[in-house]
Amino acid sequence: MTAIRLLLVDDDPLVRAGLSFMMGGADDIEIVGEAADGGEVETLVDRTRPDVVLMDIRMPTVDGLAATERLRAREDAPQVVVLTTFHADEQVLRALRAGAAGFVLKDTPPAEILAAVRKVAAGDPVLSPTVTRQLMRHAAGTAADTRRARARERMAALNGREREVAVAVGRGLSNAEIATGLFMSVATVKTHVSRVLAKLGLNNRVQIALLAYDAGLLEEEQEGR
């Protein structure tokens, strides 16, 4: 089994040491580098080629938000998991919109941080439905009308089935759960998710969820039940 190549980014040397000790003890994870600031990330990514970057969101020079935006704009971008002290924070939301695959709290138990790294390395997001709803509520108040109009315009590119899948992703459902609910195979769900990502110019399921929420599709589904 090929080990997951992990880059640690945090301005606190004690946090980095703790993460390195914890993550380095796993047989399937290899720590390939450490950075103390977001400004170092791109150079280290070029040199170490990580699969996943565990990124602190608050750093003094270049923060994790800017570093995530720069990384996820690259064609060969590694997955990013944001480290934060807040469940719902505007910077976390911006990082997710920029393409982070999810976030973990700094006081998360070690086993859960390991599980998060493994999930994103496998192409899965690390946001539970509960956390997703909390983030959506936090996002609701900021520039909602403008964001909704733009989101609806983008979602118009989807056909009916793709729209249903996008809404299901927005609800935090797995591919297997979507397949059961929409009476299709898991392989078909994966195909639809890939098409949604391509049509909307997105790079992960978290961004689909945020866009579906912004467009009001989750509210419409609730009202239709």
Side-chain angles (χ1 to χ4, degrees), residues 68-77 98 203:
T68 297
E69 289 174 337
R70 292 174 187 175
L71 275 186
R72 295 304 300 172
R74 297 163 54 130
E75 291 185 4
D76 58 347
N203 55 38

Side-chain angles (χ1 to χ4, degrees), residues 62-204:
V62 177
D63 64 21
L65 171 61
T68 297
E69 289 174 337
R70 292 174 187 175
L71 275 186
R72 295 304 300 172
R74 297 163 54 130
E75 291 185 4
D76 58 347
Q79 297 292 340
V80 176
V81 178
V82 171
L83 276 170
T84 181
T85 54
F86 299 98
H87 277 284
D89 176 83
E90 185 61 32
Q91 284 190 303
V92 174
L93 280 165
R94 287 177 62 192
L96 295 174
R97 293 186 193 282
F103 73 91
V104 292
L105 299 177
K106 287 194 174 183
D107 60 359
T108 298
E112 293 182 24
I113 296 180
L114 285 167
V117 169
R118 290 173 179 133
K119 283 189 71 174
V120 299
D124 298 320
V126 291
L127 289 181
S128 69
T130 300
V131 172
T132 301
R133 285 193 294 271
Q134 187 176 6
L135 282 167
M136 300 309 186
R137 286 195 297 270
H138 182 77
T142 48
D145 291 341
T146 300
R147 198 168 59 241
R148 174 159 296 192
R150 291 175 179 170
R152 284 183 175 273
E153 183 177 347
R154 293 181 68 185
M155 295 295 284
L158 305 181
N159 62 35
R161 206 55 162 164
E162 291 163 350
R163 184 185 174 103
E164 288 178 327
V165 169
V167 170
V169 169
R171 289 172 52 211
L173 300 182
S174 66
N175 286 340
E177 291 168 332
I178 296 172
T180 299
L182 296 180
F183 306 102
M184 61 177 71
S185 70
V186 172
T188 301
V189 172
K190 290 180 178 178
T191 297
H192 282 306
V193 170
S194 295
R195 287 175 179 166
V196 170
L197 291 169
K199 284 187 175 183
L200 299 179
L202 305 176
N203 55 38
N204 62 39

Side-chain angles (χ1 to χ4, degrees), residues 6-10 19 35 37-39 41 45 52-59 62-69 71 79-84 95 100 102-104 106:
L6 179 67
L7 175 64
L8 302 176
V9 185
D10 196 294
L19 288 170
D37 188 78
V41 172
V45 165
V52 179
V53 178
L54 197 55
M55 180 93 72
D56 185 18
I57 204 164
R58 287 179 171 83
M59 291 177 284
V62 177
D63 64 21
L65 171 61
T68 297
E69 289 174 337
L71 275 186
Q79 297 292 340
V80 176
V81 178
V82 171
L83 276 170
T84 181
F103 73 91
V104 292
K106 287 194 174 183

